Structure formats: structure tokens, C-alpha cells
């Protein structure tokens, strides 16, 4: 299996180094050959080539079976021409690979439950939600859009539009994800108000016929936002459009209280999937061996599960992370009373020991 590795900027190279070590140990342990090639993206690419997404990077990604990304951006590039900012590299590669589905699991490790922003009695039944967000359609891309002056008054407008094929393919990804988890899928929309949501709901119901084992429910987005903080244990997988998914996936992630722990996947129809931690390049701690590599390591578990169908290998990584936390090891971002403060390298090595 060919994997294109893009460490990126800030803490990217440090966390990715630990991630690749974990991947190699999994390869040895389970008898797989993971061939990795490094490519430039973001600020590192700007410095080397003048642009955030060099042609060679796009080529290397397209020739791979999966792509791993650290993080991009930092103050060094904050003042350059917006057209070539580091984030453009990220948006660009998502577009090049036609990644229309964003999978964002938000799980609370029992060892870190004190970091959770919700009351203990609310999360005692657990918090393990996967938000599947449509990434390339909806109101962020719909036409017509624009701003104008009408009758002497300024106005702005966007269009929320979903085509049948867009809903079908994201629904399929969500049902497949549910099949790999607890087989419960909640489709979130605003069908009481929006026509686009009524079509969305109709199509999701049609797709559900292909997945009789998955229990499908529907919820309006305002209620979903409330239920997520009131009783997150009721959710397994949530599927929703671009705008609602943007908000709900961040809310689900935020309540766990541990940004350095959360992985993500972006998937297309047949192109390589892209796996990355949800956090940024953390320039405030870059190069200091303080970064938490667990979100990256868990992103690699997602890659094994979703791109390579290697459930046992993914379980092995997740169990090793859990064991490492149970041993009390903590990076600064998840440090708690009684925890043993370690650096990025030590955390990576502890996970490897526990694999
Ligand atoms: P950030 O996620 O980089 O950092 C927010 C805070 O969380 C910081 O205090 C940081 O030290 C901490 N943090 C984040 N990840 C951590 C980890 N793994 N271990 C320990 N602590 C961690 O967000 P920001 O500060 O808003 O952005 C910094 C840069 O990252 C900006 O240039 C931004 O554009 C970029 N960014 C990139 C991505 C991406 O590459 N996907 C996402 C978000 C932000």
C-alpha cells in the first residue's frame, strides 16, 4: 500500500514522525508493506516552491492509496497573498482528490473524561459520535450567490442546493460507516422548513433500503444541536449537509475537551482518502516536543479501517492509545491531576510499546 505523507507546518513534522513509526510497527506486526513517500504542502511548500500545493504533491497523492496530513499554516505565512496561503494547499488537495465526505469521530476516552465539558452524569453512558459531513456541495458552493444593492439597500445571498447524486453518495458513506460501528444512523436536516432538506430526507430513506441492518432516524438540526449536548450517547453516526455538518462536527469535537485527540478522514468515490488530525499546526508549541501525536496516530487507525479495511489493525492502535492513557501518560494539552507529563516522542514511543 502506497501512502503519501505530508507533514506540513508547525507541529506537523513532529506528530507525523510518531505516526509513521506507529504505521511501520503495524506493518511488521501484521505482515503488511506500507510504502510511504513524503510530499510538500502548506507553508513548507510555499518556502520551497512558491506555492502551497506543488504539482508533484498532487501527483504523489493521486498515485497513492491513501494520504496522511499533519497540519498547515503559521504566523510566518499569515501576511502573504491570500491566493497562495497555506490553507489553500489543504482546500486544493481536497478538491483535486474530489473528497466529498468528511468523517469526524468525537470520542471521549474514559481516562480523559474530566476534560469533557459536559457534566459527568451526562457522559456516563459514553460519548462516541461520528459526524459524516457533506463537503463539496450545499450552501457553501451553491449558485447563485453574491452581494448586491437593491432599492438602495445592501443584500447578500447564497443558495442551498443538493443534487440526488450528491445526497446518495454521502448517504452511502454514512451507512457504510454505521456498518463498521454500532449500525445506527441519524440523518440531520431542516425538512420542516427547507425544500432542499425534504429532497435530502427522501433520498436518504431510499438509500437506507440497501442497508437493512442499519437503524435510520431523522432529526432537525436545531434539535440535533440540543441533543448533542443533552445526551450524546443517543448518537452513533450522524450524516448531514455541509453547513449543518460544519457546526455539528465542531460542537461534537469541542465537548470532548481534547483537540489533540481527534482524528478525521475525508473520502471520495474512488480516489485516495485523506486522513488528518482536526487540530491546526499549533505554532505556539512547534519544535518543542510538546505536541500530542495521538490525533495523528488515531487518524492512521482511521486510514487502516476506512481505506484498507483493516479493522483488527485499527483496533490494535486504538487499544494501544487507550492503554497508554490508562498508564497515566499525558502531553500538556491533556494533562490532569496525577498524570505523567511526557513529550511528543515519549507519547509515540509509549503507544508503540503498547501495540
Ligand atoms: P491550533 O489547533 O493549531 O491550536 C489551538 C490550540 O490548541 C493551541 O494552543 C495549540 O497549542 C493547541 N494544540 C493544537 N493541537 C495540539 C496538539 N496536537 N497537541 C497539543 N496542543 C495542541 O489552532 P490555531 O491556533 O487556531 O491555528 C494555528 C495555525 O494552524 C493557523 O495558521 C491555522 O490557520 C492553522 N490551522 C490548520 C488546520 C489544518 O491544517 N487542518 C486546522 C486549523 C488551523
Amino acid at each position: 500500500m502506497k501512502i503519501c505523507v505530508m507533514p506540513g507546518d508547525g507541529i506537523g513534522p513532529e506528530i507525523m514522525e510518531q505516526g509513521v513509526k506507529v504505521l511501520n510497527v503495524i506493518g511488521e506486526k501484521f505482515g503488511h508493506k506500507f510504502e510511504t513517500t513524503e510530499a510538500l504542502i502548506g507553508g513548507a511548500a510555499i518556502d520551497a516552491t512558491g506555492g502551497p500545493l506543488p504539482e508533484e504533491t498532487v501527483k504523489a497523492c493521486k498515485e497513492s492509496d491513501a494520504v496522511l496530513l499533519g497540519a498547515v499554516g503559521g504566523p510566518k505565512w499569515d501576511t502573504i497573498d491570500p491566493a497562495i496561503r497555506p490553507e489553500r494547499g489543504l482546500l486544493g488537495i481536497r478538491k483535486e482528490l474530489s473528497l466529498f465526505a468528511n468523517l469526524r469521530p468525537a470520542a471521549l476516552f474514559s481516562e480523559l473524561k474530566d476534560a469533557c465539558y459536559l457534566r459527568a452524569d451526562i457522559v456516563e453512558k459514553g460519548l462516541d459520535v461520528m459526524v459524516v459531513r457533506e463537503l463539496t456541495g450545499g450552501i457553501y458552493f451553491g449558485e447563485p450567490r453574491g452581494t448586491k444593492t437593491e432599492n438602495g439597500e445592501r443584500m447578500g445571498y447564497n443558495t442551498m442546493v443538493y443534487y440526488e447524486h450528491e445526497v446518495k453518495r454521502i448517504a452511502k458513506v454514512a451507512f457504510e460507516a454505521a456498518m463498521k460501528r454500532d449500525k445506527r444512523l441519524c440523518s440531520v436536516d431542516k425538512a420542516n422548513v427547507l425544500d432542499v432538506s425534504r429532497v435530502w430526507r427522501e433520498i436518504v430513506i431510499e438509500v437506507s433500503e440497501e442497508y437493512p441492518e442499519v437503524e435510520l432516524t431523522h432529526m432537525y438540526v436545531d434539535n440535533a444541536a440540543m441533543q448533542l449536548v443533552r445526551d450524546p450517547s443517543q448518537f452513533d453516526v450522524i450524516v448531514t449537509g455541509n453547513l449543518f455538518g460544519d457546526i455539528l462536527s465542531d460542537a461534537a469535537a469541542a465537548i470532548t475537551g481534547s483537540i489533540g485527540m481527534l482524528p478525521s478522514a475525508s473520502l471520495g468515490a474512488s480516489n485516495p482518502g485523506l486522513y488528518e488530525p482536526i487540530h491546526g499546526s499549533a505554532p505556539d508549541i512547534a519544535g518543542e516536543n510538546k505536541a500530542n501525536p495521538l490525533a495523528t496516530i488515531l487518524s492512521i487507525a482511521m486510514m487502516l479501517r476506512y481505506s484498507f479495511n483493516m479493522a483488527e489493525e485499527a483496533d490494535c492502535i486504538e487499544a494501544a492509545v487507550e492503554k497508554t492513557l490508562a498508564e497515566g501518560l499525558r502531553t500538556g494539552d491533556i494533562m490532569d491531576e496525577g498524570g505523567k507529563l511526557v513529550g511528543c516522542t515519549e507519547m509515540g514511543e509509549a503507544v508503540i510499546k503498547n501495540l
Side-chain angles (χ1 to χ4, degrees):
M1 280 138 287
K2 279 191 185 170
I3 297 154
C4 183
V5 177
M6 303 190 290
D9 311 316
I11 59 169
E14 303 164 52
I15 52 178
M16 196 53 81
E17 189 185 331
Q18 302 311 314
V20 170
K21 283 201 290 196
V22 166
L23 181 66
N24 289 334
V25 174
I26 286 288
E28 282 163 30
K29 193 174 155 70
F30 288 88
H32 304 302
K33 193 160 179 295
F34 297 114
E35 200 183 303
T36 54
T37 35
E38 269 207 21
L40 292 169
I41 193 165
I46 295 171
D47 289 351
T49 70
L53 186 64
E55 208 33 61
E56 305 89 82
T57 297
V58 175
K59 189 164 175 282
C61 288
K62 286 187 174 168
E63 285 170 356
S64 303
D65 300 305
V67 178
L68 281 174
L69 173 74
V72 297
K76 183 175 175 196
W77 306 280
D78 274 352
T79 49
I80 62 169
D81 175 4
I84 58 155
R85 275 182 66 113
E87 293 76 11
R88 287 275 169 160
L90 191 52
L91 297 177
I93 196 64
R94 284 183 184 149
K95 188 155 183 260
E96 287 283 351
L97 300 178
S98 310
L99 304 172
F100 63 82
N102 189 217
L103 275 62
R104 290 261 301 254
L108 183 65
F109 286 87
S110 57
E111 296 293 333
L112 300 179
K113 58 180 187 308
D114 290 345
C116 183
Y117 290 124
L118 300 180
R119 281 200 324 259
D121 61 308
I122 293 176
V123 285
E124 69 181 358
K125 284 188 278 171
L127 195 178
D128 187 0
V129 184
M130 159 92 79
V131 179
V132 177
R133 166 189 171 194
E134 201 287 326
L135 208 54
T136 54
I139 196 161
Y140 290 179
F141 297 96
E143 297 284 347
R145 61 187 297 167
T147 54
K148 60 181 173 185
T149 304
E150 225 173 60
N151 302 326
E153 193 181 34
R154 283 168 297 168
M155 60 103 79
Y157 55 100
N158 291 85
T159 306
M160 190 186 274
V161 51
Y162 270 115
Y163 289 91
E164 185 169 347
H165 74 274
E166 292 176 309
V167 182
K168 262 189 185 155
R169 65 186 187 182
I170 190 74
K172 278 188 182 192
V173 168
F175 278 106
E176 293 291 338
M179 287 295 287
K180 289 187 160 80
R181 294 172 47 105
D182 203 28
K183 300 191 172 66
R184 291 181 291 127
L185 178 63
C186 178
S187 172
V188 170
D189 60 37
K190 190 71 186 167
N192 51 343
V193 178
L194 300 175
D195 299 294
V196 55
S197 283
R198 283 195 282 278
V199 174
W200 171 284
R201 193 178 278 217
E202 224 173 81
I203 296 166
V204 171
I205 291 170
E206 282 164 24
V207 175
S208 74
E209 285 162 21
E210 294 168 42
Y211 299 90
E213 284 174 65
V214 177
E215 179 196 309
L216 173 68
T217 52
H218 304 271
M219 201 178 273
Y220 299 139
V221 62
D222 42 347
N223 188 25
M226 184 170 70
Q227 296 301 332
L228 203 52
V229 291
R230 210 186 62 91
D231 175 19
S233 74
Q234 66 186 287
F235 296 109
D236 176 27
V237 179
I238 289 174
V239 63
T240 189
N242 207 342
L243 172 64
F244 302 155
D246 191 359
I247 299 162
L248 291 182
S249 63
D250 260 13
I255 54 182
T256 67
S258 317
I259 193 177
M261 295 294 303
L262 299 173
S264 78
S266 300
L267 306 177
S270 55
N271 286 324
L274 185 144
Y275 299 85
E276 58 182 320
I278 71 155
H279 59 72
S281 58
D284 51 332
I285 55 165
E288 294 179 21
N289 191 32
K290 285 182 178 166
N292 184 349
L294 296 179
T296 305
I297 291 171
L298 292 169
S299 298
I300 289 170
M302 280 193 90
M303 175 184 81
L304 297 174
R305 197 182 298 282
Y306 289 96
S307 278
F308 302 142
N309 243 325
M310 295 180 181
E312 202 186 330
E313 291 81 341
D315 287 346
C316 177
I317 293 180
E318 286 162 6
V321 167
E322 225 158 302
K323 184 149 189 259
T324 306
L325 294 173
E327 288 168 354
L329 271 65
R330 303 283 186 270
T331 42
D333 58 312
I334 52 171
M335 188 61 189
D336 50 18
E337 227 182 274
K340 179 173 179 279
L341 185 66
V342 295
C344 184
T345 315
E346 293 74 26
M347 188 61 111
E349 279 163 5
V351 172
I352 287 170
K353 179 184 77 83
N354 285 327
L355 279 174

